[in-house]
Amino acid sequence: MNLQNLMVDLIRQSTANVFSTMLGVELAPGDAVIENGTPESNDGVVSLIGLAGGWVGTGSVSCSPALACRICSLMLMMESTGVDEDVLDAVAELTNMIVGSVKNDLEPHLGPLGLSIPTVVFGRNFRTKSAGNTEWTVVRFPWESEVLVVKLCLSPSEKTHTTCHMMGQTCPVEV
C-alpha cells in the first residue's frame, strides 16, 4: 500500500472512531482527493496541527460555523449557537484526537512523530497554506447537510539525524 492510500484509510478510520466515541455520530466514509497548489478559500472554522520527526507536515480539520457549533454541542452536551471560545476549543480538541490517532498509526511506517498543539482560525474568505510540500490528502465527510474536511500534508524531513546514547537510552540528534 502506498503512503497516500494509507493516509486516506487512517483518516477515514480515525475520524469515524472519534465521531462515534466522542460525539455518538456514525459518519459515512468520506470521499478522498489529492489537492495540489493553491488551497481553496475558507469560510468557517479551520484547525491546524503540526507534525514533526522523520516526516513533517500539517493536519487540519475544517467545517462551517454551524457544524462547529453542532460538534461543540455534542462534545460538551450544551447548546452552542455561535462560534465562541468553547466552539473553537471543541474543534481544536477534535483535530487533536483525529490527527493524533492518524499520527500514532503512521509511526510504525514513518518512525516517531511529534504533534504540536492545534491553532484554530475562524473567519470568512481566508486561505491557509503550508510552506514546502503542497500535496494534501483530503477526505470530505458528509454529515447531515454539512461537510467536515480532514486534510493531511506530509513529506520527509530535510534534516539528517544520527543516534546518541544517553543514560542507557537511544535518542535522535540533529546533525
Side-chain angles (χ1 to χ4, degrees):
M1 176 179 290
N2 72 30
L3 182 58
Q4 292 297 337
N5 291 339
L6 178 62
M7 289 193 307
V8 167
D9 289 345
L10 294 177
I11 290 169
R12 285 179 175 151
Q13 289 171 5
S14 176
T15 305
N17 289 340
V18 168
F19 267 71
S20 175
T21 303
M22 299 304 298
L23 306 176
V25 172
E26 299 302 320
L27 285 182
D31 293 332
V33 297
I34 303 302
E35 238 177 48
N36 288 302
T38 306
E40 59 191 40
S41 181
N42 291 291
D43 284 322
V45 178
V46 176
S47 179
L48 303 157
I49 194 164
L51 295 136
W55 287 69
V56 296
T58 306
S60 77
V61 171
S62 60
C63 60
S64 70
L67 190 54
C69 289
R70 176 95 170 110
I71 288 166
C72 181
S73 294
L74 290 170
M75 191 177 281
L76 301 181
M77 295 184 279
M78 62 180 229
E79 191 63 29
S80 295
T81 57
V83 177
D84 59 13
E85 190 172 326
D86 288 334
V87 172
L88 297 177
D89 286 347
V91 175
E93 185 55 33
L94 186 78
T95 305
N96 193 45
M97 289 185 281
I98 291 171
V99 178
S101 177
V102 171
K103 174 202 82 80
N104 291 342
D105 292 338
L106 282 172
E107 286 181 321
H109 306 278
L110 304 179
L113 297 168
L115 198 63
S116 72
I117 60 171
T119 298
V120 186
V121 180
F122 169 57
R124 290 187 183 166
N125 196 28
F126 66 93
R127 295 180 191 271
T128 59
K129 182 183 181 316
S130 289
N133 184 1
T134 58
E135 184 172 276
W136 289 83
T137 301
V138 180
V139 185
R140 290 178 172 81
F141 295 90
W143 182 25
E144 297 171 355
S145 62
E146 300 280 347
V147 176
L148 178 88
V149 180
V150 180
K151 296 182 178 185
L152 188 60
C153 177
L154 278 176
S155 59
S157 174
E158 294 179 10
K159 296 184 178 187
T160 305
H161 290 83
T162 187
T163 303
C164 72
H165 300 281
M166 293 177 50
M167 298 193 296
Q169 296 181 347
T170 302
C171 57
V173 176
E174 292 180 10
V175 178

